[in-house]
Amino acid sequence: MKRKEGISVKIMQFERFIAERLYFSQQTEGRSSRPAVRVALAGLIIGVMVMIITVCVVVGFKQTVTDKVVGFAAHLRIVNFENNNTFELSPIVVPDSMMQTLAAIPHIESVNAFVTKPGIIKTNEAFQGIVFKGTTYWNYFADNLIEGHLPEAENEVILSRKLCDLMNLQLGDAVMSYFVGESVKVRKFTIAGIYRTGFTEFDERFILGQMNVVRRLNGWSDDQISGVELRVDNLRNLYAASDDVFFATANRFDEKGNGYYMETMEQLNPAVFSWLDLLDMNVIIIILLMLAVSGFSIISGLIILILDSIQLVGVLKALGATNKQVRGVFITQGVMLIGKGVIWGNILGLVLCAIQYFGHILPLDATTYYVNYVPIAFPIGWLLLLNVGTILVSTLILLAPSAIITKISPSQVMRFE
């Protein structure tokens, strides 16, 4: 048994030795296959680089847009069961005991009450439909505040830079707001701060202030709210947390008999998340195309290497080497080329992604893509999986062109010589 293992090791050393001599001989001048090897290597490098960039861009894009949606609307929210899918929500009462139960659910990071009411803001030159949102969650807007401060009084609000530009408003200006109910109610607010998220769909819509403003506009009591927003600690835990929240609120009613209803961020913004889901299909198509390009490059390169070394194939067979051993020589050489291509593809792809990550060189139209520049993320798990998959697929592809070795006869090669 030990003798067989020793023979196998020697065979592998033999194949590796010949493959290394062939591989390094390709780096010198005078080999006819040298240009072909360079082209094959370039094709593999480009393929890996494009796949790396695609994954980093798409994952970054999905994370950035999701974070913006969650900043405005949270991962989950609980509203009145009679919700009519507008911003004019029916009130519910969520007692402290229910809030504590929700906060104790695993992976729930924050639980915050909110109120919303649609209205119109007007200046002498223009008017704009808006949604006034009263909230106790200010982390996201504090991170995106570019001027002023968060609302500290009931007559203070924050607006987006986009909305201020549309209405020709500045920090500290007074803005008249009109809210329609049984009668038209007018409120005068002072712009305490200006934020910018780049999410035009929300930036043009929301102004934010204190919850008591909406309560008084609607004639609600101090314990009535439009709903509760819940944020999870990690998006991967969203579905596990949503199940727990659903069972904690299902068939539960407040003191006035109003039922609780849970909504996810996908339900609240179906168009946005349907669009994001389409990006996954684009990634799959691009990866398959790049694997095809890389595979073609590898196949053509290995065939040329074999044909360029056909004399060596004949000699090795004449000396007693089997087809499996000779194929092993060229497959090993191909694996060395694949390793070099994958390494350089990763280096170039990650360097380009890093340049965009820190420099924001490539801009985007925020009105179309929700962000001002191409976002980048570095998902380590996906990148490792991509590299392992590329190496495995490329190595398997080597089996096809190496099969021509079995058709080469030593006598024919020698006769040709």
Side-chain angles (χ1 to χ4, degrees):
M1 185 71 179
K2 290 183 178 179
R3 188 181 174 201
K4 289 183 178 180
E5 291 177 355
I7 292 173
S8 299
V9 171
K10 289 181 179 179
I11 290 174
M12 292 176 64
Q13 291 176 344
F14 161 76
E15 294 174 357
R16 182 176 178 181
F17 173 76
I18 300 297
E20 287 178 348
R21 293 295 298 270
L22 287 173
Y23 176 78
F24 290 111
S25 71
Q26 303 301 326
Q27 314 304 315
T28 61
E29 299 289 347
R31 297 286 296 186
S32 59
S33 61
R34 187 166 180 264
V37 171
R38 284 186 169 181
V39 171
L41 185 62
L44 181 58
I45 291 173
I46 293 172
V48 173
M49 180 181 68
V50 171
M51 288 189 287
I52 293 290
I53 293 174
T54 300
V55 170
C56 290
V57 169
V58 171
V59 173
F61 193 86
K62 294 183 71 172
Q63 288 181 357
T64 302
V65 174
T66 300
D67 289 344
K68 290 178 182 292
V69 172
V70 171
F72 279 97
H75 293 99
L76 304 166
R77 78 174 189 178
I78 299 167
V79 295
N80 194 313
F81 190 80
E82 296 180 357
N83 172 28
N84 56 6
N85 293 322
T86 69
F87 291 103
E88 190 76 51
L89 300 174
S90 300
I92 57 172
V93 176
V94 182
D96 292 340
S97 59
M98 173 65 77
M99 296 289 278
Q100 293 170 2
T101 299
L102 295 173
I105 292 176
H107 308 302
I108 294 297
E109 187 176 59
S110 66
V111 179
N112 305 94
F114 75 95
V115 291
T116 58
K117 187 171 183 62
I120 296 173
I121 59 173
K122 183 179 180 299
T123 64
N124 293 331
E125 295 81 19
F127 64 91
Q128 176 75 20
I130 54 91
V131 175
F132 185 101
K133 181 175 182 178
T135 182
T136 57
Y137 180 82
W138 296 103
N139 296 6
Y140 178 73
F141 298 98
D143 293 338
N144 290 277
L145 200 67
I146 58 175
E147 295 182 50
H149 57 83
L150 297 175
E152 298 173 352
E154 291 187 7
N155 68 327
E156 292 183 337
V157 294
I158 61 172
L159 278 68
S160 71
R161 178 78 271 171
K162 180 71 174 179
L163 190 55
C164 286
D165 291 341
L166 288 173
M167 302 297 294
N168 194 26
L169 294 169
Q170 299 296 329
L171 184 68
D173 286 353
V175 57
M176 301 301 296
S177 302
Y178 300 82
F179 301 94
V180 179
E182 295 180 357
S183 62
V184 177
K185 297 181 180 180
V186 183
R187 294 293 184 273
K188 182 179 180 181
F189 297 112
T190 300
I191 302 175
I194 298 175
Y195 68 89
R196 179 193 289 123
T197 68
F199 204 127
T200 306
E201 183 176 339
F202 287 161
D203 280 359
E204 291 182 351
R205 178 184 297 169
F206 283 93
I207 67 173
L208 294 103
Q210 302 292 325
M211 290 199 299
N212 284 335
V213 175
V214 176
R215 286 194 178 113
R216 278 198 290 272
L217 286 169
N218 289 333
W220 294 354
S221 61
D222 291 342
D223 59 351
Q224 287 182 306
I225 56 176
S226 297
V228 177
E229 294 179 332
L230 302 96
R231 292 170 173 82
V232 299
D233 54 6
N234 192 298
L235 193 59
R236 292 192 298 268
N237 301 322
L238 173 60
Y239 294 106
S242 66
D243 288 341
D244 292 337
V245 172
F246 174 80
F247 288 115
T249 57
N251 296 320
R252 298 286 298 275
F253 302 88
D254 67 8
E255 60 189 28
K256 299 182 182 298
N258 298 306
Y260 298 125
Y261 177 70
M262 187 198 75
E263 297 175 310
T264 65
M265 60 182 182
E266 288 91 349
Q267 292 172 318
L268 293 171
N269 301 276
V272 174
F273 286 97
S274 295
W275 176 55
L276 291 178
D277 288 340
L278 289 176
L279 296 179
D280 294 334
M281 181 60 67
N282 294 338
V283 172
I284 293 173
I285 293 173
I286 291 173
I287 289 177
L288 291 177
L289 288 175
M290 290 301 102
L291 284 176
V293 171
S294 302
F296 178 79
S297 300
I298 294 167
I299 290 173
S300 59
L302 189 60
I303 290 175
I304 293 172
L305 285 176
I306 294 172
L307 295 178
D308 189 46
S309 304
I310 195 168
Q311 299 173 29
L312 176 63
V313 174
V315 170
L316 291 175
K317 285 191 172 185
L319 292 175
T322 64
N323 284 325
K324 181 179 179 181
Q325 292 172 347
V326 179
R327 290 181 72 178
V329 169
F330 287 95
I331 289 176
T332 302
Q333 188 179 4
V335 170
M336 295 171 71
L337 287 172
I338 290 170
K340 184 176 181 180
V342 169
I343 290 173
W344 277 105
N346 275 269
I347 291 174
L348 294 176
L350 292 174
V351 166
L352 292 174
C353 288
I355 292 173
Q356 175 63 22
Y357 181 83
F358 292 105
H360 301 163
I361 295 173
L362 299 178
L364 287 176
D365 182 4
T367 58
T368 303
Y369 297 100
Y370 305 117
V371 289
N372 296 317
Y373 57 87
V374 176
I376 297 291
F378 297 95
I380 304 300
W382 284 110
L383 293 179
L384 288 175
L385 183 62
L386 178 64
N387 278 281
V388 171
T390 300
I391 292 172
L392 290 177
V393 171
S394 301
T395 303
L396 291 174
I397 288 174
L398 294 174
L399 298 176
S402 66
I404 66 174
I405 290 173
T406 62
K407 308 298 182 182
I408 298 175
S409 171
S411 59
Q412 292 177 344
V413 173
M414 292 179 179
R415 188 183 305 118
F416 176 76
E417 290 297 319

PDB file of all heavy atoms in Angstrom, residues 207-225:
ATOM      1  N   ILE A 207     -41.456  65.729   4.984  1.00  0.00           N
ATOM      2  CA  ILE A 207     -40.901  66.659   5.955  1.00  0.00           C
ATOM      3  C   ILE A 207     -41.113  66.008   7.321  1.00  0.00           C
ATOM      4  O   ILE A 207     -42.075  65.265   7.521  1.00  0.00           O
ATOM      5  CB  ILE A 207     -41.547  68.057   5.893  1.00  0.00           C
ATOM      6  CG1 ILE A 207     -43.007  68.013   6.340  1.00  0.00           C
ATOM      7  CG2 ILE A 207     -41.460  68.634   4.485  1.00  0.00           C
ATOM      8  CD1 ILE A 207     -43.627  69.402   6.460  1.00  0.00           C
ATOM      9  N   LEU A 208     -40.192  66.238   8.240  1.00  0.00           N
ATOM     10  CA  LEU A 208     -40.231  65.509   9.509  1.00  0.00           C
ATOM     11  C   LEU A 208     -40.249  66.456  10.687  1.00  0.00           C
ATOM     12  O   LEU A 208     -39.591  67.512  10.665  1.00  0.00           O
ATOM     13  CB  LEU A 208     -39.022  64.568   9.612  1.00  0.00           C
ATOM     14  CG  LEU A 208     -39.044  63.436   8.579  1.00  0.00           C
ATOM     15  CD1 LEU A 208     -38.070  63.767   7.454  1.00  0.00           C
ATOM     16  CD2 LEU A 208     -38.715  62.098   9.203  1.00  0.00           C
ATOM     17  N   GLY A 209     -41.034  66.077  11.700  1.00  0.00           N
ATOM     18  CA  GLY A 209     -41.137  66.907  12.889  1.00  0.00           C
ATOM     19  C   GLY A 209     -41.618  66.085  14.071  1.00  0.00           C
ATOM     20  O   GLY A 209     -41.422  64.867  14.137  1.00  0.00           O
ATOM     21  N   GLN A 210     -42.276  66.754  15.017  1.00  0.00           N
ATOM     22  CA  GLN A 210     -42.732  66.117  16.242  1.00  0.00           C
ATOM     23  C   GLN A 210     -44.093  65.430  16.039  1.00  0.00           C
ATOM     24  O   GLN A 210     -44.936  65.903  15.272  1.00  0.00           O
ATOM     25  CB  GLN A 210     -42.853  67.164  17.356  1.00  0.00           C
ATOM     26  CG  GLN A 210     -41.562  67.912  17.644  1.00  0.00           C
ATOM     27  CD  GLN A 210     -40.504  67.008  18.256  1.00  0.00           C
ATOM     28  OE1 GLN A 210     -40.831  66.108  19.027  1.00  0.00           O
ATOM     29  NE2 GLN A 210     -39.242  67.259  17.926  1.00  0.00           N
ATOM     30  N   MET A 211     -44.306  64.339  16.764  1.00  0.00           N
ATOM     31  CA  MET A 211     -45.544  63.565  16.601  1.00  0.00           C
ATOM     32  C   MET A 211     -46.775  64.310  17.089  1.00  0.00           C
ATOM     33  O   MET A 211     -47.870  64.140  16.538  1.00  0.00           O
ATOM     34  CB  MET A 211     -45.424  62.221  17.339  1.00  0.00           C
ATOM     35  CG  MET A 211     -44.460  61.243  16.695  1.00  0.00           C
ATOM     36  SD  MET A 211     -44.742  59.536  17.247  1.00  0.00           S
ATOM     37  CE  MET A 211     -44.445  59.704  19.000  1.00  0.00           C
ATOM     38  N   ASN A 212     -46.643  65.125  18.105  1.00  0.00           N
ATOM     39  CA  ASN A 212     -47.811  65.807  18.664  1.00  0.00           C
ATOM     40  C   ASN A 212     -48.481  66.740  17.659  1.00  0.00           C
ATOM     41  O   ASN A 212     -49.670  67.056  17.793  1.00  0.00           O
ATOM     42  CB  ASN A 212     -47.420  66.592  19.915  1.00  0.00           C
ATOM     43  CG  ASN A 212     -47.215  65.681  21.114  1.00  0.00           C
ATOM     44  OD1 ASN A 212     -47.781  64.596  21.160  1.00  0.00           O
ATOM     45  ND2 ASN A 212     -46.410  66.111  22.069  1.00  0.00           N
ATOM     46  N   VAL A 213     -47.722  67.192  16.656  1.00  0.00           N
ATOM     47  CA  VAL A 213     -48.309  68.069  15.637  1.00  0.00           C
ATOM     48  C   VAL A 213     -49.427  67.336  14.910  1.00  0.00           C
ATOM     49  O   VAL A 213     -50.544  67.859  14.740  1.00  0.00           O
ATOM     50  CB  VAL A 213     -47.228  68.538  14.637  1.00  0.00           C
ATOM     51  CG1 VAL A 213     -47.870  69.342  13.510  1.00  0.00           C
ATOM     52  CG2 VAL A 213     -46.166  69.350  15.344  1.00  0.00           C
ATOM     53  N   VAL A 214     -49.152  66.103  14.473  1.00  0.00           N
ATOM     54  CA  VAL A 214     -50.160  65.328  13.752  1.00  0.00           C
ATOM     55  C   VAL A 214     -51.301  64.919  14.678  1.00  0.00           C
ATOM     56  O   VAL A 214     -52.472  64.913  14.277  1.00  0.00           O
ATOM     57  CB  VAL A 214     -49.511  64.088  13.098  1.00  0.00           C
ATOM     58  CG1 VAL A 214     -50.562  63.211  12.431  1.00  0.00           C
ATOM     59  CG2 VAL A 214     -48.464  64.510  12.069  1.00  0.00           C
ATOM     60  N   ARG A 215     -50.971  64.584  15.899  1.00  0.00           N
ATOM     61  CA  ARG A 215     -52.032  64.211  16.842  1.00  0.00           C
ATOM     62  C   ARG A 215     -53.057  65.327  16.982  1.00  0.00           C
ATOM     63  O   ARG A 215     -54.270  65.093  16.975  1.00  0.00           O
ATOM     64  CB  ARG A 215     -51.411  63.872  18.200  1.00  0.00           C
ATOM     65  CG  ARG A 215     -50.692  62.529  18.265  1.00  0.00           C
ATOM     66  CD  ARG A 215     -50.419  62.156  19.696  1.00  0.00           C
ATOM     67  NE  ARG A 215     -49.778  60.857  19.820  1.00  0.00           N
ATOM     68  CZ  ARG A 215     -48.532  60.681  20.255  1.00  0.00           C
ATOM     69  NH1 ARG A 215     -47.786  61.735  20.590  1.00  0.00           N
ATOM     70  NH2 ARG A 215     -48.021  59.474  20.368  1.00  0.00           N
ATOM     71  N   ARG A 216     -52.570  66.536  17.108  1.00  0.00           N
ATOM     72  CA  ARG A 216     -53.505  67.658  17.270  1.00  0.00           C
ATOM     73  C   ARG A 216     -54.249  67.950  15.967  1.00  0.00           C
ATOM     74  O   ARG A 216     -55.421  68.322  15.993  1.00  0.00           O
ATOM     75  CB  ARG A 216     -52.746  68.889  17.761  1.00  0.00           C
ATOM     76  CG  ARG A 216     -52.528  68.884  19.272  1.00  0.00           C
ATOM     77  CD  ARG A 216     -52.196  70.274  19.777  1.00  0.00           C
ATOM     78  NE  ARG A 216     -50.865  70.687  19.327  1.00  0.00           N
ATOM     79  CZ  ARG A 216     -49.744  70.420  19.985  1.00  0.00           C
ATOM     80  NH1 ARG A 216     -49.781  69.715  21.111  1.00  0.00           N
ATOM     81  NH2 ARG A 216     -48.585  70.841  19.537  1.00  0.00           N
ATOM     82  N   LEU A 217     -53.575  67.807  14.837  1.00  0.00           N
ATOM     83  CA  LEU A 217     -54.247  68.023  13.557  1.00  0.00           C
ATOM     84  C   LEU A 217     -55.405  67.035  13.372  1.00  0.00           C
ATOM     85  O   LEU A 217     -56.453  67.378  12.808  1.00  0.00           O
ATOM     86  CB  LEU A 217     -53.253  67.873  12.402  1.00  0.00           C
ATOM     87  CG  LEU A 217     -52.251  69.022  12.195  1.00  0.00           C
ATOM     88  CD1 LEU A 217     -51.176  68.613  11.192  1.00  0.00           C
ATOM     89  CD2 LEU A 217     -52.982  70.272  11.698  1.00  0.00           C
ATOM     90  N   ASN A 218     -55.195  65.791  13.833  1.00  0.00           N
ATOM     91  CA  ASN A 218     -56.217  64.758  13.668  1.00  0.00           C
ATOM     92  C   ASN A 218     -57.182  64.667  14.835  1.00  0.00           C
ATOM     93  O   ASN A 218     -58.164  63.916  14.767  1.00  0.00           O
ATOM     94  CB  ASN A 218     -55.543  63.389  13.475  1.00  0.00           C
ATOM     95  CG  ASN A 218     -54.874  63.259  12.130  1.00  0.00           C
ATOM     96  OD1 ASN A 218     -55.278  63.899  11.158  1.00  0.00           O
ATOM     97  ND2 ASN A 218     -53.845  62.431  12.056  1.00  0.00           N
ATOM     98  N   GLY A 219     -56.899  65.388  15.916  1.00  0.00           N
ATOM     99  CA  GLY A 219     -57.743  65.286  17.097  1.00  0.00           C
ATOM    100  C   GLY A 219     -57.551  63.985  17.840  1.00  0.00           C
ATOM    101  O   GLY A 219     -58.495  63.476  18.471  1.00  0.00           O
ATOM    102  N   TRP A 220     -56.345  63.416  17.779  1.00  0.00           N
ATOM    103  CA  TRP A 220     -56.062  62.158  18.459  1.00  0.00           C
ATOM    104  C   TRP A 220     -55.634  62.407  19.901  1.00  0.00           C
ATOM    105  O   TRP A 220     -55.156  63.480  20.255  1.00  0.00           O
ATOM    106  CB  TRP A 220     -54.940  61.399  17.748  1.00  0.00           C
ATOM    107  CG  TRP A 220     -55.291  60.916  16.373  1.00  0.00           C
ATOM    108  CD1 TRP A 220     -56.497  60.973  15.763  1.00  0.00           C
ATOM    109  CD2 TRP A 220     -54.401  60.288  15.446  1.00  0.00           C
ATOM    110  NE1 TRP A 220     -56.441  60.434  14.505  1.00  0.00           N
ATOM    111  CE2 TRP A 220     -55.160  59.992  14.276  1.00  0.00           C
ATOM    112  CE3 TRP A 220     -53.061  59.935  15.469  1.00  0.00           C
ATOM    113  CZ2 TRP A 220     -54.597  59.371  13.158  1.00  0.00           C
ATOM    114  CZ3 TRP A 220     -52.500  59.317  14.364  1.00  0.00           C
ATOM    115  CH2 TRP A 220     -53.259  59.035  13.224  1.00  0.00           C
ATOM    116  N   SER A 221     -55.769  61.362  20.701  1.00  0.00           N
ATOM    117  CA  SER A 221     -55.276  61.418  22.080  1.00  0.00           C
ATOM    118  C   SER A 221     -53.763  61.186  22.091  1.00  0.00           C
ATOM    119  O   SER A 221     -53.174  60.795  21.076  1.00  0.00           O
ATOM    120  CB  SER A 221     -55.975  60.345  22.929  1.00  0.00           C
ATOM    121  OG  SER A 221     -55.697  59.045  22.415  1.00  0.00           O
ATOM    122  N   ASP A 222     -53.144  61.375  23.242  1.00  0.00           N
ATOM    123  CA  ASP A 222     -51.695  61.297  23.344  1.00  0.00           C
ATOM    124  C   ASP A 222     -51.138  59.884  23.138  1.00  0.00           C
ATOM    125  O   ASP A 222     -49.942  59.726  22.901  1.00  0.00           O
ATOM    126  CB  ASP A 222     -51.219  61.814  24.715  1.00  0.00           C
ATOM    127  CG  ASP A 222     -51.420  63.320  24.844  1.00  0.00           C
ATOM    128  OD1 ASP A 222     -51.583  63.985  23.803  1.00  0.00           O
ATOM    129  OD2 ASP A 222     -51.408  63.820  25.982  1.00  0.00           O
ATOM    130  N   ASP A 223     -51.975  58.872  23.249  1.00  0.00           N
ATOM    131  CA  ASP A 223     -51.479  57.504  23.086  1.00  0.00           C
ATOM    132  C   ASP A 223     -51.797  56.922  21.709  1.00  0.00           C
ATOM    133  O   ASP A 223     -51.445  55.780  21.411  1.00  0.00           O
ATOM    134  CB  ASP A 223     -52.045  56.585  24.172  1.00  0.00           C
ATOM    135  CG  ASP A 223     -53.574  56.551  24.160  1.00  0.00           C
ATOM    136  OD1 ASP A 223     -54.186  57.361  23.424  1.00  0.00           O
ATOM    137  OD2 ASP A 223     -54.153  55.725  24.893  1.00  0.00           O
ATOM    138  N   GLN A 224     -52.455  57.705  20.845  1.00  0.00           N
ATOM    139  CA  GLN A 224     -52.779  57.225  19.493  1.00  0.00           C
ATOM    140  C   GLN A 224     -51.650  57.554  18.517  1.00  0.00           C
ATOM    141  O   GLN A 224     -51.095  58.661  18.535  1.00  0.00           O
ATOM    142  CB  GLN A 224     -54.092  57.829  19.013  1.00  0.00           C
ATOM    143  CG  GLN A 224     -55.321  57.246  19.702  1.00  0.00           C
ATOM    144  CD  GLN A 224     -56.608  57.839  19.151  1.00  0.00           C
ATOM    145  OE1 GLN A 224     -56.782  59.058  19.114  1.00  0.00           O
ATOM    146  NE2 GLN A 224     -57.527  56.979  18.734  1.00  0.00           N
ATOM    147  N   ILE A 225     -51.343  56.588  17.662  1.00  0.00           N
ATOM    148  CA  ILE A 225     -50.275  56.749  16.672  1.00  0.00           C
ATOM    149  C   ILE A 225     -50.714  56.126  15.349  1.00  0.00           C
ATOM    150  O   ILE A 225     -51.720  55.404  15.293  1.00  0.00           O
ATOM    151  CB  ILE A 225     -48.964  56.075  17.145  1.00  0.00           C
ATOM    152  CG1 ILE A 225     -49.215  54.592  17.464  1.00  0.00           C
ATOM    153  CG2 ILE A 225     -48.372  56.803  18.348  1.00  0.00           C
ATOM    154  CD1 ILE A 225     -47.972  53.819  17.851  1.00  0.00           C
TER     155      ILE A 225
END
